[in-house]
């Protein structure tokens, strides 16, 4: 008797049309993928940095050649414009290249100073692969976001089992298939498709680490599931990022950044701008420019639909609540059946949902502040701590340091995500751990410390043959070194 595999559909959110049907991997299928990945991980690790970099280089070239094909898949499943899909693919390619090129330098053996007491030793540290890494991804940037874990985990010498979002399974499948074409020898990078339960099965499968990107609520469930087996987790969750506009800022550039940061990808960006705090001296000018620019952004062409239908209710609730509590929508404010008009809200109380909760739609709240101290205090008054933006000619770096977030763009927006050498991640409800950069590579390695004796020390401490005289000398030495 053959059992029928359960399936689910992925749909085009702009039309509701089914664009693909995918298997739901149950616990057995997930376990089988992880079991297949174990020998693949050993083989991949045995290739060394150079062998892996060469293969990742070939994959990167294939992704580049076929980027438009992948962008079509992203467009079909998320509804985002083809050009925006290209943008995230280009960034993912650049990150893959960086991870492959820098893995040896970051993770390979490094000498450490042994210190005076252990001067007869050579001390080294190197990052060894973890084994099989499970990656669980979201739908909003279905290439760029998971690739921040996948490419870095692969470059660090791990095999990967990836559970893409149920909204973008074909994107995940495409990525794994394209990798298998370049690396056909072993299943180094596999995909398991399904709903939340498939992700939960991956957490319970005995992988060496789970790298999760998604909402804080799911992040908590994943951490609880992983606690059962002490499986370490990396959590990249949501945000409520603020943009600060100082009195001396380039107002036109700041308004442009607010509009793009708030409305691109229909606001479905973890590091999208959701709140704006503007110095009172430039508030009126800024608001006028933002509203003018927001009116030019056209849903359907420049921004796509809301990918997840349930999100429409959240966006509507945030706008309605803001307006009911004295706020005004200077433009937009309408939530359609699939699309949301870019919406600029002013005079919204700071405790309204539109200011406190992640909206994940094309909305901005704009508030006037006395000075930048008030802007910092309000921006930091959030349970999230992901990204942020500062527009200021004279105080950009100072204000950036004072924002309680993992990343800040000064006089531009979301720029940190495009710099492969910079770590990406947050704190609080935004999660913990980092993807991208050297820190992102180290997330997927296990530090291995080795102390090698080079010659016998005059004072040997680790022996029962140690004499009272040796103890006396060591005591003298430590007093000399640290006693004053
Ligand atoms: P989500 O939390 O609903 O789902 C994310 C993934 O988790 C999906 O693959 C889903 O199937 C899986 N999942 C659901 N329940 C699970 C469970 N119990 N066990 C294991 N896996 C489970 O998030 P989403 O709606 O896909 O993504 C949007 C969220 O992601 C937003 O909050 C956004 O801010 C955040 N995000 C964060 C970053 C970042 O880097 N910090 C990047 C992109 C998106």
């Amino acid at each position: 008797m053959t059992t029928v595999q359960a399936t689910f559909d992925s749909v085009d959110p702009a039309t509701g049309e089914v664009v693909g049907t995918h298997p739901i991997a149950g616990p057995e299928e997930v376990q089988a993928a992880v079991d297949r990945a174990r020998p693949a991980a050993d083989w991949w690790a045995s290739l060394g940095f150079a062998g892996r970099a060469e293969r990742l280089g070939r994959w990167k070239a294939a992704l580049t050649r076929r980027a438009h094909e992948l962008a079509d898949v992203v467009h079909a499943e998320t509804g985002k414009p083809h050009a925006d899909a290209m943008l995230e693919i280009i960034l993912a390619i650049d990150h893959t290249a960086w991870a492959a090129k820098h893995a040896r330098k970051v993770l390979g053996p490094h000498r450490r100073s042994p210190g005076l007491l252990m001067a007869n030793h050579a001390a080294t540290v190197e990052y060894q692969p973890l084994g099989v890494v499970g990656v669980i991804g979201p739908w909003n940037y279905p290439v760029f976001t998971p690739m921040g874990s996948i490419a870095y985990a692969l470059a660090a010498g791990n095999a990967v089992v990836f559970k893409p979002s149920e909204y973008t399974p074909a994107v995940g499948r495409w990525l794994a298939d394209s990798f298998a074409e370049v690396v056909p020898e072993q299943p180094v990078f596999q995909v398991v498709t399904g709903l939340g339960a498939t992700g939960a099965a991956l957490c319970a499968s005995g992988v060496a680490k789970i790298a999760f990107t998604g909402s804080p609520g799911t992040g908590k469930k994943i951490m609880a599931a992983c606690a059962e087996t002490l499986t370490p987790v990396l959590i990249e969750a949501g945000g409520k990022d603020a943009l600060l506009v100082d009195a001396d800022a380039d107002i036109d550039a700041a308004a442009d950044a607010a509009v793009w940061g708030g409305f691109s990808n229909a606001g479905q960006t973890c590091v999208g701008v959701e709140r704006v705090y503007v110095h009172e001296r430039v508030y009126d000018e800024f608001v006028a420019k933002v509203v003018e620019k927001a009116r030019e952004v056209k849903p359907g062409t420049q921004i796509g639909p809301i990918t997840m239908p349930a999100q429409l209710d959240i966006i509507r609730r945030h706008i309605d609540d803001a307006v009911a509590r004295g706020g005004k929508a200077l433009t937009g404010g309408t939530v359609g059946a699939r699309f949301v008009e870019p919406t600029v809200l002013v005079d919204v109380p700071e405790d309204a949902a539109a200011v406190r909760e992640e909206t994940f739609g094309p909305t901005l709240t704009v508030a006037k502040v006395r000075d930048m101290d008030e802007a910092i205090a309000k921006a930091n008054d959030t349970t999230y701590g992901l990204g942020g933006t500062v527009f200021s000619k004279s105080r950009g770096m100072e204000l950036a340091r004072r924002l309680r977030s993992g990343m800040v763009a000064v006089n531009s927006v979301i720029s940190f995500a495009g710099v492969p050498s910079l770590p990406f991640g947050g704190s609080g409800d935004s999660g913990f751990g980092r993807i991208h950069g050297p820190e992102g590579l180290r997330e997927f390695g296990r530090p291995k410390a080795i102390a090698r004796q080079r010659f016998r020390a005059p004072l040997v401490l680790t022996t029962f043959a140690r004499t009272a005289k040796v103890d006396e000398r060591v005591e003298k030495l430590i007093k000399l070194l640290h006693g004053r």
Side-chain angles (χ1 to χ4, degrees):
M1 196 181 82
T2 52
T3 50
V4 180
Q5 165 96 60
T7 59
F8 68 105
D9 292 336
S10 100
V11 299
D12 177 344
T15 60
E17 185 195 329
V18 173
V19 292
T21 300
H22 298 265
I24 296 179
E28 293 84 28
E29 284 94 3
V30 171
Q31 193 62 57
V34 172
D35 291 346
R36 275 194 303 275
R38 289 191 204 287
D42 292 342
W43 173 78
W44 183 244
S46 77
L47 296 179
F49 290 110
R52 293 193 295 268
E54 189 266 318
R55 284 165 173 83
L56 287 169
R58 274 195 274 140
W59 188 35
K60 169 202 80 170
L63 292 175
T64 309
R65 282 193 306 275
R66 297 172 61 191
H68 282 290
E69 191 190 311
L70 176 57
D72 284 342
V73 184
V74 173
H75 170 71
E77 290 197 321
T78 64
K80 73 171 73 180
H82 185 93
D84 283 359
M86 282 299 287
L87 195 60
E88 71 161 297
I89 293 165
I90 287 165
L91 287 181
I93 290 167
D94 204 37
H95 274 274
T96 305
W98 191 93
K101 185 171 174 205
H102 291 84
R104 181 203 292 277
K105 192 168 165 224
V106 174
L107 305 174
H110 280 83
R111 291 192 70 136
R112 297 273 169 94
S113 164
L116 210 61
L117 280 179
M118 304 294 283
N120 62 323
H121 281 73
T124 57
V125 64
E126 63 196 64
Y127 284 75
Q128 298 184 336
L130 302 175
V132 182
V133 169
V135 175
I136 299 175
W139 48 265
N140 60 336
Y141 289 88
V143 177
F144 178 65
T145 293
M147 283 290 277
S149 295
I150 294 165
Y152 287 72
L154 290 171
N158 305 282
V160 170
V161 177
F162 174 37
K163 203 308 261 174
S165 165
E166 50 272 43
Y167 291 93
T168 53
V171 176
R173 170 69 57 207
W174 194 99
L175 287 172
D177 288 350
S178 68
F179 183 86
E181 281 177 29
V182 173
V183 182
E185 297 95 328
Q186 298 262 353
V188 174
F189 171 24
Q190 299 174 78
V191 153
V192 287
T193 53
L195 316 181
T198 303
L202 190 56
C203 294
S205 67
V207 290
K209 185 163 192 163
I210 287 284
F212 165 77
T213 309
S215 58
T218 309
K220 287 175 197 169
K221 286 188 201 158
I222 284 181
M223 221 175 144
C226 287
E228 293 294 320
T229 46
L230 280 185
T231 301
V233 288
L234 160 67
I235 306 275
E236 294 287 349
K240 190 72 191 172
D241 291 2
L243 182 147
L244 274 47
V245 186
D246 201 354
D248 68 351
D250 177 338
I251 300 304
D252 197 60
D256 202 62
V259 167
W260 195 80
F263 306 145
S264 62
N265 210 32
Q268 303 164 112
T269 304
C270 55
V271 287
V273 176
E274 298 216 353
R275 303 176 288 152
V276 187
Y277 295 104
V278 191
H279 196 290
E280 59 185 11
R281 286 216 295 274
V282 292
Y283 177 81
D284 291 341
E285 183 189 350
F286 176 85
V287 169
K289 285 204 164 161
V290 162
V291 170
E292 186 191 320
K293 288 174 193 286
R295 287 191 178 132
E296 286 164 12
V297 179
K298 298 284 169 254
T301 48
Q302 283 169 301
I303 63 172
I306 298 305
T307 304
M308 224 171 29
Q311 196 68 24
L312 289 160
D313 292 336
I314 296 173
I315 300 167
R316 192 179 294 113
R317 174 168 64 80
H318 285 195
I319 295 174
D320 290 352
D321 169 66
V323 172
R325 300 180 59 188
K328 284 192 283 292
L330 297 182
T331 185
T334 316
V335 176
R338 299 186 194 279
F339 291 85
V340 178
E341 271 183 70
T343 299
V344 178
L345 295 161
V346 294
D347 301 334
V348 182
E350 282 294 297
D351 59 353
V355 179
R356 302 219 63 85
E357 298 168 24
E358 188 180 49
T359 307
F360 230 52
T363 66
L364 286 175
T365 61
V366 186
K368 190 193 288 186
V369 290
R370 260 183 339 271
D371 54 26
M372 296 322 278
D373 287 346
E374 186 185 346
I376 291 281
K378 288 191 162 154
N380 286 346
D381 184 17
T382 169
T383 57
Y384 291 103
L386 196 55
T389 313
V390 172
F391 272 79
S392 171
K393 286 206 178 86
S394 55
R395 298 174 64 193
M397 290 303 284
E398 177 215 325
L399 297 171
R401 290 196 176 98
R402 289 171 62 193
L403 271 182
R404 191 175 45 70
S405 68
M407 304 146 299
V408 181
V410 178
N411 297 330
S412 67
V413 68
I414 317 186
S415 46
F416 43 76
V419 181
S421 59
L422 281 179
F424 186 104
S427 59
D429 282 347
S430 299
F432 51 83
R434 293 294 182 265
I435 54 171
H436 303 172
E439 291 79 3
L441 282 168
R442 288 189 199 108
E443 283 284 352
F444 299 107
R446 197 175 279 128
K448 177 85 169 202
I450 304 177
R452 177 176 59 83
Q453 178 165 290
R454 293 186 296 131
F455 55 87
R456 201 177 150 79
L459 302 175
V460 181
L461 306 177
T462 52
T463 169
F464 289 113
R466 207 173 68 216
T467 61
K469 202 157 188 115
V470 168
D471 285 346
E472 208 180 290
R473 280 193 194 147
V474 171
E475 209 180 312
K476 266 193 193 147
L477 180 64
I478 206 73
K479 276 187 182 152
L480 207 68
L481 284 174
H482 302 294
R484 280 168 295 143

